[in-house]
Amino acid sequence: SGVDDGAQLLLDGRSPAVPSGCEGGYFVGPTIFGKVKPGMQIYDQEIFGPVLCCVEADSFDEAIKLVNANPYGNGTAIFTRSGGAARKFVDQIEAGQVGVNVPIPVPLPMFSFTGNKRSILGDLNFYGKAGVHFYTQWKTVTSAWRDDDYVEKLSTAGVGAS
C-alpha cells in the first residue's frame, strides 16, 4: 500500500533471497520507504516487521509534533551530536522507547517494554519484572516450624509459649 499511497520504495523486501531448503517458508526482507506522510496506510498503521518508513519534517519542533501526533507510541530515535537536542527530544517525545544515536530502542529482556498510546494493551508489559509478574501467580506463605516436642501454651496475652 505504500507505493499506492505515494511513498517511494527505496528497498523492496517482497521477494527476499532465502536459504536453500527454506523456499516454502514465509519471509519478508528489509523494506525501506521514503517520502512517507501521515494519512498513508504505512504511516497510520503500526507495522511490525523489517520495514522502515522515512518521514521528513521541515524543523526539529515539527518533527517532535509529528511523532507526538501519531496514535502509536512504540518507539522512536534521534541521531544527533547535540546534547541539547537529544535532551529536548527525550523530554518532549511521547513514545515509550526512545533511542539517542541508536536505531532501534528495543530494550534488553531485563527491562520492560515501554510502548505508549495504542502501542500497548493492558497495564503490564512482557519484558523484565512486569513480564514475570504477568506470568506468575503471586502467593504469600507465612509459616512457623517448631520441634515436634515443643508444646505451645497460651499466655494471658494469647501469644506466649513456655
Side-chain angles (χ1 to χ4, degrees):
S1 72
V3 174
D4 294 340
D5 285 346
Q8 182 182 10
L9 183 60
L10 301 173
L11 179 63
D12 190 344
R14 291 178 285 190
S15 299
V18 297
S20 179
C22 297
E23 297 84 2
Y26 299 96
F27 298 92
V28 177
T31 302
I32 302 174
F33 288 100
K35 307 293 184 191
V36 176
K37 298 182 182 333
M40 293 181 174
Q41 186 176 358
I42 59 173
Y43 178 86
D44 292 342
Q45 295 183 4
E46 194 170 40
I47 299 174
F48 285 91
V51 179
L52 176 65
C53 295
C54 300
V55 182
E56 299 174 14
D58 290 330
S59 71
F60 184 61
D61 289 331
E62 182 185 321
I64 290 173
K65 288 178 186 174
L66 182 70
V67 172
N68 289 344
N70 192 293
Y72 298 99
N74 190 349
T76 188
I78 183 173
F79 291 86
T80 182
R81 292 185 177 172
S82 167
R87 177 172 295 271
K88 179 176 180 175
F89 188 78
V90 167
D91 288 346
Q92 293 185 7
I93 212 70
E94 297 171 5
Q97 301 173 102
V98 181
V100 177
N101 297 327
V102 295
I104 303 174
V106 175
L108 296 172
M110 64 283 253
F111 300 109
S112 288
F113 172 84
T114 51
N116 286 348
K117 301 180 183 179
R118 290 179 51 199
S119 290
I120 189 145
L121 298 174
D123 60 352
L124 293 175
N125 301 304
F126 48 86
Y127 283 138
K129 287 182 183 179
V132 173
H133 294 170
F134 181 80
Y135 290 106
T136 303
Q137 175 65 50
W138 286 46
K139 181 186 291 186
T140 300
V141 177
T142 304
S143 64
W145 293 90
R146 297 189 172 88
D147 291 336
D148 289 341
D149 60 347
Y150 179 82
V151 178
E152 186 173 350
K153 295 181 181 178
L154 294 176
S155 72
T156 57
V159 294
S162 57

